[in-house]
Amino acid sequence: MIYDHIIVRYGELSLKGKNRHHFINRLKDTVKRKLKPYPEVTVQKAFDRMVIELNGQKHEPVIEKLQEIFGIQGLRLAVKCDLELETIQKTALEAMRDAGPDVKTFKVSTKRNYKQYPHDSQELNHLIGGYVLSNSEDISVDVHHPDVEIKVEIKPEAAYISCMDYPGAGGLPIGSAGKVMLMLSGGIDSPVAGYLAMKRGVRVEMVHFHSPPFTSERARQKVEDLTKVLTKFGGSIKMHVVPFTDVQKAIKKQIPDNYSMTVMRRYMLRITEEIAGRNDALAIATGESLGQVASQTLSSMNTINEVTNLPIIRPLITMDKIEIMDISRKIGTYDISIRPYEDCCTVFLPSAPKTKPNREKANRFEHHMEIDELVQQAVENTETVFFSEAKTRDDEEFSDLL
Ligand code: ATP
Ligand code: MG
């Protein structure tokens, strides 16, 4: 059977009252952008869902793309047919057969939005189910645990018939919730934090600190590759690469070893806050997880957090490393994150940083530093690069044809 439509079910955005229109438009923009490699495919939005017409395009790659989009709860592969009862019955039978030879039980679930239709949902369930039964062998109805559920929707313009559902990515449409600066290292955690922040609808820009010549081009490449993977979910992403060597040298010279990490993090936040201000971002996101390492104890976070008033979003705060690693594998960042590299933090840091720093001491140690100058200099010399959405093999094949 050739499925010719995909019905996109909105997630939580259906709860958003007045903003609903805005959310649906954001979602439609993303859907259209993601489906650009498939020019025959068309998208129509409605109040309660989006209907995608495949026009001959195979559904598998389209479903795959749609599953990367936040704000979509579920996808339903469907056949559109006219409202003649006989056509609906035949199409339902075909969909059922298409579901495979192992199917032994089924049920029909009809939803009738078009109230003028001469049969109600219950009657339709019986009329369609009866037809399928009398035209199949070795098959029975099971209303509780069917192998296949044939879903029939009766709309004024047509009927949609389906027995294939796919989960969506959930969350809220990208761009519906403002912008956040993500502090992106080359580790496992921060890309996952970025993914989860994007899931709630924010657009992210990356801030990465590097310390040449102590950190190499390879380390930077790694962060670029991670950003490219995240464009799959967030569309184009801006990345700010901050030269951090001078700050780190100053810390090395002026701060006692056991406070150098705390002070370094405070600089990272001050600089990120400044970059956020210049780029209209309203918050900062990090990959911190409570208690994971010395800089992520409550005392550390309390002392580090003192230097900024911006909200800090920490999507991983209560997660275990195992859970974080699972997500990183799922989203495709894990293999990049585990490439060996030297991080600016590890190059300069003492082997035993203080796990219980406090604000008072941090301020006392920093007192002699030219904080504003160091921050301004780092911000002025920051390099900004753009990454547009990562190309999949399909897209490349498509662009070859142009
Ligand atoms: P990750 O796996 O994300 O590197 P981590 O477990 O190594 O995290 P830390 O090194 O303590 O933890 O870093 C905590 C957070 O600080 C990171 O998740 C990231 O948000 C930020 N961070 C660390 N190093 C950098 C860097 N070089 N550039 C930008 N942000 C950084
Ligand atoms: Mg790290």
Side-chain angles (χ1 to χ4, degrees), residues 13-42:
L13 74 124
S14 42
L15 305 173
K16 298 291 174 184
K18 270 197 309 207
N19 289 329
R20 195 185 163 84
H21 197 58
H22 171 65
F23 278 57
I24 295 174
N25 283 335
R26 290 282 75 72
L27 187 62
K28 190 178 179 195
D29 291 346
T30 310
V31 168
K32 286 195 121 173
R33 179 171 50 74
K34 290 290 255 187
L35 299 185
K36 244 192 194 150
Y38 311 107
E40 51 287 277
V41 173
T42 58

Side-chain angles (χ1 to χ4, degrees), residues 183-185 187-190 207-209 265 268 285-288 292-293 295-296 321 343-345:
M183 292 172 61
L184 184 69
S185 71
I188 292 173
D189 303 335
S190 40
V207 177
H208 175 67
F209 295 87
R265 292 263 183 246
M268 281 186 174
T286 74
E288 289 161 305
Q292 198 189 79
V293 289
S295 61
Q296 298 174 23
K321 195 75 186 183
D343 185 17
C344 67
C345 316

Side-chain angles (χ1 to χ4, degrees), residues 247-259:
V247 175
Q248 290 202 291
K249 282 183 173 164
I251 293 173
K252 180 99 189 144
K253 211 158 106 190
Q254 300 181 51
I255 302 292
D257 256 11
N258 62 349
Y259 263 75

Side-chain angles (χ1 to χ4, degrees), residues 164-363:
M164 303 276 275
D165 278 315
Y166 301 80
L172 300 170
I174 289 284
S176 61
K179 196 200 288 175
V180 164
M181 286 287 151
L182 172 69
M183 292 172 61
L184 184 69
S185 71
I188 292 173
D189 303 335
S190 40
V192 174
Y195 168 82
L196 292 174
M198 288 193 279
K199 184 170 179 191
R200 296 310 296 170
V202 297
R203 206 168 269 298
V204 297
E205 289 187 12
M206 309 310 191
V207 177
H208 175 67
F209 295 87
H210 79 145
S211 304
F214 305 101
T215 55
S216 68
E217 273 304 303
R218 245 173 0 125
R220 177 174 167 162
Q221 183 63 48
K222 193 176 172 189
V223 178
E224 292 190 357
D225 290 348
L226 288 168
T227 303
K228 281 183 207 154
V229 172
L230 292 175
T231 61
K232 210 160 54 166
F233 310 101
S236 310
I237 296 180
K238 233 191 217 183
M239 177 170 133
H240 307 277
V241 183
V242 184
F244 205 44
T245 317
D246 289 346
V247 175
Q248 290 202 291
K249 282 183 173 164
I251 293 173
K252 180 99 189 144
K253 211 158 106 190
Q254 300 181 51
I255 302 292
D257 256 11
N258 62 349
Y259 263 75
S260 60
M261 186 182 57
T262 307
V263 170
M264 181 192 77
R265 292 263 183 246
R266 285 162 62 104
Y267 273 95
M268 281 186 174
L269 275 190
R270 290 182 179 111
I271 294 167
T272 305
E273 181 182 83
E274 182 69 27
I275 297 174
R278 293 179 182 209
N279 290 277
D280 302 321
L282 295 177
I284 294 171
T286 74
E288 289 161 305
S289 158
L290 192 57
Q292 198 189 79
V293 289
S295 61
Q296 298 174 23
T297 61
L298 269 189
S299 316
S300 267
M301 283 188 209
N302 181 287
T303 307
I304 293 166
N305 225 144
E306 187 189 10
V307 302
T308 181
N309 269 328
L310 286 188
I312 300 190
I313 294 174
R314 299 182 173 95
L316 312 183
I317 198 70
T318 61
M319 284 191 193
D320 295 345
K321 195 75 186 183
I322 299 278
E323 295 172 76
I324 301 169
M325 280 159 55
D326 280 350
I327 302 178
S328 79
R329 286 196 191 90
K330 196 183 87 189
I331 64 175
T333 53
Y334 181 79
D335 287 338
I336 303 172
S337 290
I338 59 169
R339 281 187 214 155
Y341 85 117
E342 57 308 309
D343 185 17
C344 67
C345 316
T346 39
V347 172
F348 279 88
L349 287 185
S351 48
K354 198 154 179 65
T355 52
K356 285 196 170 173
N358 66 59
R359 292 182 173 195
E360 189 268 321
K361 278 193 182 156
N363 282 312

Side-chain angles (χ1 to χ4, degrees), residues 76 85 88 92 107-115 117 119-129 149-155 159-161:
R76 179 168 296 168
L85 178 61
I88 295 173
K107 85 176 203 187
V108 179
S109 306
T110 306
K111 221 169 122 188
R112 188 189 57 147
N113 289 67
Y114 176 39
K115 298 297 177 203
Y117 197 71
H119 305 284
D120 69 20
S121 307
Q122 274 308 324
E123 282 167 16
L124 280 165
N125 286 345
H126 285 115
L127 288 165
I128 299 165
E149 184 175 355
I150 304 174
K151 291 172 181 146
V152 179
E153 287 184 66
I154 307 290
K155 296 268 179 188
Y160 294 88
I161 292 160

